[in-house]
PDB file of all heavy atoms in Angstrom:
ATOM      1  N   ASN M  84     220.080 191.255  86.312  1.00 96.00           N
ATOM      2  CA  ASN M  84     219.557 190.508  87.451  1.00 96.00           C
ATOM      3  C   ASN M  84     218.407 191.275  88.102  1.00 96.00           C
ATOM      4  O   ASN M  84     218.586 192.409  88.555  1.00 96.00           O
ATOM      5  CB  ASN M  84     220.668 190.269  88.469  1.00 96.00           C
ATOM      6  CG  ASN M  84     220.269 189.294  89.539  1.00 96.00           C
ATOM      7  OD1 ASN M  84     219.212 189.383  90.124  1.00 96.00           O
ATOM      8  ND2 ASN M  84     221.137 188.330  89.794  1.00 96.00           N
ATOM      9  N   PRO M  85     217.197 190.681  88.176  1.00 94.00           N
ATOM     10  CA  PRO M  85     216.051 191.400  88.731  1.00 94.00           C
ATOM     11  C   PRO M  85     216.110 191.606  90.234  1.00 94.00           C
ATOM     12  O   PRO M  85     215.343 192.403  90.777  1.00 94.00           O
ATOM     13  CB  PRO M  85     214.865 190.502  88.360  1.00 94.00           C
ATOM     14  CG  PRO M  85     215.446 189.133  88.251  1.00 94.00           C
ATOM     15  CD  PRO M  85     216.826 189.336  87.690  1.00 94.00           C
ATOM     16  N   GLN M  86     217.041 190.933  90.912  1.00 91.00           N
ATOM     17  CA  GLN M  86     217.088 191.011  92.367  1.00 91.00           C
ATOM     18  C   GLN M  86     217.954 192.153  92.887  1.00 91.00           C
ATOM     19  O   GLN M  86     217.959 192.415  94.089  1.00 91.00           O
ATOM     20  CB  GLN M  86     217.631 189.688  92.937  1.00 91.00           C
ATOM     21  CG  GLN M  86     216.817 188.469  92.571  1.00 91.00           C
ATOM     22  CD  GLN M  86     215.473 188.407  93.276  1.00 91.00           C
ATOM     23  OE1 GLN M  86     215.211 189.169  94.199  1.00 91.00           O
ATOM     24  NE2 GLN M  86     214.612 187.504  92.849  1.00 91.00           N
ATOM     25  N   ILE M  87     218.667 192.840  91.997  1.00 93.00           N
ATOM     26  CA  ILE M  87     219.603 193.868  92.432  1.00 93.00           C
ATOM     27  C   ILE M  87     219.427 195.123  91.591  1.00 93.00           C
ATOM     28  O   ILE M  87     218.857 195.085  90.500  1.00 93.00           O
ATOM     29  CB  ILE M  87     221.062 193.375  92.355  1.00 93.00           C
ATOM     30  CG1 ILE M  87     221.416 192.960  90.917  1.00 93.00           C
ATOM     31  CG2 ILE M  87     221.285 192.217  93.322  1.00 93.00           C
ATOM     32  CD1 ILE M  87     222.840 192.490  90.734  1.00 93.00           C
ATOM     33  N   VAL M  88     219.916 196.235  92.115  1.00 93.00           N
ATOM     34  CA  VAL M  88     219.831 197.511  91.403  1.00 93.00           C
ATOM     35  C   VAL M  88     221.093 197.761  90.598  1.00 93.00           C
ATOM     36  O   VAL M  88     221.050 198.001  89.395  1.00 93.00           O
ATOM     37  CB  VAL M  88     219.579 198.667  92.395  1.00 93.00           C
ATOM     38  CG1 VAL M  88     219.591 200.005  91.651  1.00 93.00           C
ATOM     39  CG2 VAL M  88     218.250 198.478  93.115  1.00 93.00           C
ATOM     40  N   ASP M  89     222.256 197.712  91.264  1.00 95.00           N
ATOM     41  CA  ASP M  89     223.536 197.927  90.594  1.00 95.00           C
ATOM     42  C   ASP M  89     223.910 196.658  89.827  1.00 95.00           C
ATOM     43  O   ASP M  89     224.208 195.621  90.429  1.00 95.00           O
ATOM     44  CB  ASP M  89     224.606 198.268  91.626  1.00 95.00           C
ATOM     45  CG  ASP M  89     225.973 198.519  90.996  1.00 95.00           C
ATOM     46  OD1 ASP M  89     226.064 198.564  89.743  1.00 95.00           O
ATOM     47  OD2 ASP M  89     226.949 198.657  91.760  1.00 95.00           O
ATOM     48  N   GLN M  90     223.898 196.722  88.513  1.00 96.00           N
ATOM     49  CA  GLN M  90     224.130 195.534  87.691  1.00 96.00           C
ATOM     50  C   GLN M  90     225.610 195.224  87.455  1.00 96.00           C
ATOM     51  O   GLN M  90     225.932 194.137  86.965  1.00 96.00           O
ATOM     52  CB  GLN M  90     223.441 195.710  86.331  1.00 96.00           C
ATOM     53  CG  GLN M  90     221.930 195.773  86.422  1.00 96.00           C
ATOM     54  CD  GLN M  90     221.327 194.478  86.949  1.00 96.00           C
ATOM     55  OE1 GLN M  90     221.708 193.382  86.539  1.00 96.00           O
ATOM     56  NE2 GLN M  90     220.394 194.596  87.880  1.00 96.00           N
ATOM     57  N   GLU M  91     226.504 196.119  87.814  1.00 97.00           N
ATOM     58  CA  GLU M  91     227.912 195.915  87.480  1.00 97.00           C
ATOM     59  C   GLU M  91     228.486 194.640  88.108  1.00 97.00           C
ATOM     60  O   GLU M  91     229.174 193.870  87.419  1.00 97.00           O
ATOM     61  CB  GLU M  91     228.741 197.130  87.893  1.00 97.00           C
ATOM     62  CG  GLU M  91     230.174 197.092  87.380  1.00 97.00           C
ATOM     63  CD  GLU M  91     230.257 196.947  85.857  1.00 97.00           C
ATOM     64  OE1 GLU M  91     229.391 197.479  85.139  1.00 97.00           O
ATOM     65  OE2 GLU M  91     231.200 196.269  85.386  1.00 97.00           O
ATOM     66  N   PRO M  92     228.225 194.362  89.396  1.00 97.00           N
ATOM     67  CA  PRO M  92     228.764 193.109  89.955  1.00 97.00           C
ATOM     68  C   PRO M  92     228.220 191.875  89.239  1.00 97.00           C
ATOM     69  O   PRO M  92     228.964 190.899  89.033  1.00 97.00           O
ATOM     70  CB  PRO M  92     228.317 193.149  91.423  1.00 97.00           C
ATOM     71  CG  PRO M  92     228.122 194.605  91.715  1.00 97.00           C
ATOM     72  CD  PRO M  92     227.592 195.193  90.441  1.00 97.00           C
ATOM     73  N   TYR M  93     226.963 191.919  88.827  1.00 97.00           N
ATOM     74  CA  TYR M  93     226.386 190.772  88.122  1.00 97.00           C
ATOM     75  C   TYR M  93     227.007 190.623  86.736  1.00 97.00           C
ATOM     76  O   TYR M  93     227.267 189.500  86.287  1.00 97.00           O
ATOM     77  CB  TYR M  93     224.873 190.922  88.026  1.00 97.00           C
ATOM     78  CG  TYR M  93     224.195 189.756  87.342  1.00 97.00           C
ATOM     79  CD1 TYR M  93     224.109 188.519  87.981  1.00 97.00           C
ATOM     80  CD2 TYR M  93     223.665 189.882  86.068  1.00 97.00           C
ATOM     81  CE1 TYR M  93     223.508 187.434  87.368  1.00 97.00           C
ATOM     82  CE2 TYR M  93     223.059 188.799  85.441  1.00 97.00           C
ATOM     83  CZ  TYR M  93     222.976 187.574  86.094  1.00 97.00           C
ATOM     84  OH  TYR M  93     222.382 186.506  85.466  1.00 97.00           O
ATOM     85  N   ARG M  94     227.247 191.738  86.080  1.00 98.00           N
ATOM     86  CA  ARG M  94     227.877 191.667  84.755  1.00 98.00           C
ATOM     87  C   ARG M  94     229.286 191.094  84.843  1.00 98.00           C
ATOM     88  O   ARG M  94     229.743 190.400  83.922  1.00 98.00           O
ATOM     89  CB  ARG M  94     227.878 193.053  84.123  1.00 98.00           C
ATOM     90  CG  ARG M  94     226.482 193.495  83.690  1.00 98.00           C
ATOM     91  CD  ARG M  94     226.402 194.947  83.331  1.00 98.00           C
ATOM     92  NE  ARG M  94     225.026 195.339  83.053  1.00 98.00           N
ATOM     93  CZ  ARG M  94     224.560 196.578  83.168  1.00 98.00           C
ATOM     94  NH1 ARG M  94     225.377 197.556  83.519  1.00 98.00           N
ATOM     95  NH2 ARG M  94     223.292 196.835  82.915  1.00 98.00           N
ATOM     96  N   GLU M  95     229.961 191.367  85.936  1.00 98.00           N
ATOM     97  CA  GLU M  95     231.296 190.771  86.124  1.00 98.00           C
ATOM     98  C   GLU M  95     231.197 189.248  86.227  1.00 98.00           C
ATOM     99  O   GLU M  95     232.074 188.518  85.721  1.00 98.00           O
ATOM    100  CB  GLU M  95     231.953 191.342  87.385  1.00 98.00           C
ATOM    101  CG  GLU M  95     232.329 192.824  87.255  1.00 98.00           C
ATOM    102  CD  GLU M  95     232.911 193.384  88.542  1.00 98.00           C
ATOM    103  OE1 GLU M  95     233.039 192.606  89.520  1.00 98.00           O
ATOM    104  OE2 GLU M  95     233.216 194.585  88.586  1.00 98.00           O
ATOM    105  N   LEU M  96     230.120 188.766  86.851  1.00 98.00           N
ATOM    106  CA  LEU M  96     229.907 187.322  86.948  1.00 98.00           C
ATOM    107  C   LEU M  96     229.592 186.727  85.578  1.00 98.00           C
ATOM    108  O   LEU M  96     230.079 185.641  85.236  1.00 98.00           O
ATOM    109  CB  LEU M  96     228.776 187.029  87.930  1.00 98.00           C
ATOM    110  CG  LEU M  96     229.067 187.386  89.391  1.00 98.00           C
ATOM    111  CD1 LEU M  96     227.781 187.375  90.212  1.00 98.00           C
ATOM    112  CD2 LEU M  96     230.082 186.424  89.993  1.00 98.00           C
ATOM    113  N   LEU M  97     228.789 187.435  84.796  1.00 98.00           N
ATOM    114  CA  LEU M  97     228.513 186.964  83.438  1.00 98.00           C
ATOM    115  C   LEU M  97     229.788 186.904  82.614  1.00 98.00           C
ATOM    116  O   LEU M  97     229.967 185.999  81.790  1.00 98.00           O
ATOM    117  CB  LEU M  97     227.492 187.881  82.760  1.00 98.00           C
ATOM    118  CG  LEU M  97     226.061 187.838  83.284  1.00 98.00           C
ATOM    119  CD1 LEU M  97     225.193 188.832  82.507  1.00 98.00           C
ATOM    120  CD2 LEU M  97     225.463 186.436  83.200  1.00 98.00           C
ATOM    121  N   ASP M  98     230.680 187.861  82.841  1.00 98.00           N
ATOM    122  CA  ASP M  98     231.941 187.873  82.102  1.00 98.00           C
ATOM    123  C   ASP M  98     232.833 186.687  82.477  1.00 98.00           C
ATOM    124  O   ASP M  98     233.777 186.371  81.743  1.00 98.00           O
ATOM    125  CB  ASP M  98     232.695 189.181  82.367  1.00 98.00           C
ATOM    126  CG  ASP M  98     232.115 190.363  81.608  1.00 98.00           C
ATOM    127  OD1 ASP M  98     231.409 190.129  80.605  1.00 98.00           O
ATOM    128  OD2 ASP M  98     232.349 191.510  82.027  1.00 98.00           O
ATOM    129  N   VAL M  99     232.534 186.047  83.604  1.00 98.00           N
ATOM    130  CA  VAL M  99     233.263 184.836  83.979  1.00 98.00           C
ATOM    131  C   VAL M  99     232.630 183.607  83.338  1.00 98.00           C
ATOM    132  O   VAL M  99     233.313 182.799  82.699  1.00 98.00           O
ATOM    133  CB  VAL M  99     233.294 184.670  85.521  1.00 98.00           C
ATOM    134  CG1 VAL M  99     233.866 183.302  85.902  1.00 98.00           C
ATOM    135  CG2 VAL M  99     234.115 185.779  86.152  1.00 98.00           C
ATOM    136  N   ILE M 100     231.309 183.458  83.473  1.00 98.00           N
ATOM    137  CA  ILE M 100     230.678 182.197  83.094  1.00 98.00           C
ATOM    138  C   ILE M 100     230.315 182.112  81.618  1.00 98.00           C
ATOM    139  O   ILE M 100     230.415 181.038  81.016  1.00 98.00           O
ATOM    140  CB  ILE M 100     229.433 181.930  83.975  1.00 98.00           C
ATOM    141  CG1 ILE M 100     228.972 180.481  83.782  1.00 98.00           C
ATOM    142  CG2 ILE M 100     228.311 182.922  83.695  1.00 98.00           C
ATOM    143  CD1 ILE M 100     227.923 180.034  84.783  1.00 98.00           C
ATOM    144  N   VAL M 101     229.908 183.221  80.999  1.00 98.00           N
ATOM    145  CA  VAL M 101     229.492 183.136  79.591  1.00 98.00           C
ATOM    146  C   VAL M 101     230.660 182.721  78.689  1.00 98.00           C
ATOM    147  O   VAL M 101     230.508 181.826  77.848  1.00 98.00           O
ATOM    148  CB  VAL M 101     228.850 184.455  79.122  1.00 98.00           C
ATOM    149  CG1 VAL M 101     228.603 184.436  77.610  1.00 98.00           C
ATOM    150  CG2 VAL M 101     227.538 184.694  79.861  1.00 98.00           C
ATOM    151  N   PRO M 102     231.845 183.321  78.818  1.00 98.00           N
ATOM    152  CA  PRO M 102     232.948 182.886  77.943  1.00 98.00           C
ATOM    153  C   PRO M 102     233.440 181.464  78.236  1.00 98.00           C
ATOM    154  O   PRO M 102     233.972 180.800  77.339  1.00 98.00           O
ATOM    155  CB  PRO M 102     234.053 183.911  78.224  1.00 98.00           C
ATOM    156  CG  PRO M 102     233.351 185.088  78.810  1.00 98.00           C
ATOM    157  CD  PRO M 102     232.216 184.503  79.608  1.00 98.00           C
ATOM    158  N   SER M 103     233.276 180.986  79.470  1.00 97.00           N
ATOM    159  CA  SER M 103     233.914 179.718  79.840  1.00 97.00           C
ATOM    160  C   SER M 103     232.979 178.519  79.796  1.00 97.00           C
ATOM    161  O   SER M 103     233.464 177.378  79.744  1.00 97.00           O
ATOM    162  CB  SER M 103     234.523 179.828  81.244  1.00 97.00           C
ATOM    163  OG  SER M 103     233.514 180.074  82.204  1.00 97.00           O
ATOM    164  N   ALA M 104     231.667 178.715  79.809  1.00 98.00           N
ATOM    165  CA  ALA M 104     230.750 177.578  79.768  1.00 98.00           C
ATOM    166  C   ALA M 104     230.925 176.812  78.457  1.00 98.00           C
ATOM    167  O   ALA M 104     231.206 177.391  77.408  1.00 98.00           O
ATOM    168  CB  ALA M 104     229.312 178.064  79.916  1.00 98.00           C
ATOM    169  N   ASP M 105     230.735 175.508  78.522  1.00 97.00           N
ATOM    170  CA  ASP M 105     230.884 174.689  77.326  1.00 97.00           C
ATOM    171  C   ASP M 105     229.737 174.921  76.344  1.00 97.00           C
ATOM    172  O   ASP M 105     229.943 174.884  75.129  1.00 97.00           O
ATOM    173  CB  ASP M 105     230.941 173.212  77.713  1.00 97.00           C
ATOM    174  CG  ASP M 105     232.176 172.886  78.533  1.00 97.00           C
ATOM    175  OD1 ASP M 105     233.262 172.774  77.939  1.00 97.00           O
ATOM    176  OD2 ASP M 105     232.056 172.772  79.765  1.00 97.00           O
ATOM    177  N   HIS M 106     228.551 175.147  76.872  1.00 98.00           N
ATOM    178  CA  HIS M 106     227.388 175.400  76.027  1.00 98.00           C
ATOM    179  C   HIS M 106     226.506 176.460  76.684  1.00 98.00           C
ATOM    180  O   HIS M 106     226.362 176.484  77.911  1.00 98.00           O
ATOM    181  CB  HIS M 106     226.566 174.121  75.812  1.00 98.00           C
ATOM    182  CG  HIS M 106     227.316 173.022  75.138  1.00 98.00           C
ATOM    183  ND1 HIS M 106     227.467 172.939  73.775  1.00 98.00           N
ATOM    184  CD2 HIS M 106     227.985 171.959  75.655  1.00 98.00           C
ATOM    185  CE1 HIS M 106     228.180 171.881  73.473  1.00 98.00           C
ATOM    186  NE2 HIS M 106     228.513 171.264  74.592  1.00 98.00           N
ATOM    187  N   LEU M 107     225.921 177.308  75.845  1.00 98.00           N
ATOM    188  CA  LEU M 107     225.005 178.333  76.318  1.00 98.00           C
ATOM    189  C   LEU M 107     223.610 178.070  75.757  1.00 98.00           C
ATOM    190  O   LEU M 107     223.459 177.683  74.603  1.00 98.00           O
ATOM    191  CB  LEU M 107     225.457 179.724  75.880  1.00 98.00           C
ATOM    192  CG  LEU M 107     226.821 180.199  76.367  1.00 98.00           C
ATOM    193  CD1 LEU M 107     227.140 181.560  75.737  1.00 98.00           C
ATOM    194  CD2 LEU M 107     226.854 180.305  77.891  1.00 98.00           C
ATOM    195  N   ILE M 108     222.612 178.319  76.601  1.00 98.00           N
ATOM    196  CA  ILE M 108     221.209 178.268  76.201  1.00 98.00           C
ATOM    197  C   ILE M 108     220.593 179.594  76.588  1.00 98.00           C
ATOM    198  O   ILE M 108     220.962 180.189  77.609  1.00 98.00           O
ATOM    199  CB  ILE M 108     220.464 177.124  76.922  1.00 98.00           C
ATOM    200  CG1 ILE M 108     221.064 175.774  76.573  1.00 98.00           C
ATOM    201  CG2 ILE M 108     218.970 177.143  76.609  1.00 98.00           C
ATOM    202  CD1 ILE M 108     220.506 174.620  77.413  1.00 98.00           C
ATOM    203  N   THR M 109     219.659 180.083  75.798  1.00 98.00           N
ATOM    204  CA  THR M 109     218.844 181.213  76.230  1.00 98.00           C
ATOM    205  C   THR M 109     217.434 181.019  75.681  1.00 98.00           C
ATOM    206  O   THR M 109     217.171 180.062  74.950  1.00 98.00           O
ATOM    207  CB  THR M 109     219.453 182.567  75.827  1.00 98.00           C
ATOM    208  OG1 THR M 109     218.797 183.612  76.549  1.00 98.00           O
ATOM    209  CG2 THR M 109     219.346 182.806  74.329  1.00 98.00           C
ATOM    210  N   LEU M 110     216.516 181.932  76.062  1.00 98.00           N
ATOM    211  CA  LEU M 110     215.099 181.688  75.823  1.00 98.00           C
ATOM    212  C   LEU M 110     214.552 182.337  74.567  1.00 98.00           C
ATOM    213  O   LEU M 110     213.490 181.938  74.086  1.00 98.00           O
ATOM    214  CB  LEU M 110     214.278 182.176  77.029  1.00 98.00           C
ATOM    215  CG  LEU M 110     214.725 181.688  78.405  1.00 98.00           C
ATOM    216  CD1 LEU M 110     213.781 182.211  79.483  1.00 98.00           C
ATOM    217  CD2 LEU M 110     214.809 180.181  78.456  1.00 98.00           C
ATOM    218  N   THR M 111     215.214 183.363  74.056  1.00 98.00           N
ATOM    219  CA  THR M 111     214.698 184.082  72.894  1.00 98.00           C
ATOM    220  C   THR M 111     215.839 184.365  71.919  1.00 98.00           C
ATOM    221  O   THR M 111     217.006 184.500  72.318  1.00 98.00           O
ATOM    222  CB  THR M 111     214.055 185.421  73.307  1.00 98.00           C
ATOM    223  OG1 THR M 111     215.020 186.210  74.032  1.00 98.00           O
ATOM    224  CG2 THR M 111     212.824 185.216  74.176  1.00 98.00           C
ATOM    225  N   SER M 112     215.480 184.486  70.657  1.00 98.00           N
ATOM    226  CA  SER M 112     216.496 184.769  69.649  1.00 98.00           C
ATOM    227  C   SER M 112     217.088 186.160  69.833  1.00 98.00           C
ATOM    228  O   SER M 112     218.262 186.386  69.516  1.00 98.00           O
ATOM    229  CB  SER M 112     215.909 184.615  68.246  1.00 98.00           C
ATOM    230  OG  SER M 112     214.773 185.420  68.075  1.00 98.00           O
TER     231      SER M 112
END
Side-chain angles (χ1 to χ4, degrees):
N84 191 312
Q86 301 289 349
I87 59 179
V88 176
D89 180 7
Q90 295 296 315
E91 189 56 34
Y93 182 71
R94 288 168 186 155
E95 291 177 1
L96 294 166
L97 290 179
D98 284 339
V99 171
I100 192 169
V101 172
S103 62
D105 295 283
H106 299 277
L107 299 176
I108 299 171
T109 194
L110 309 182
T111 56
S112 55

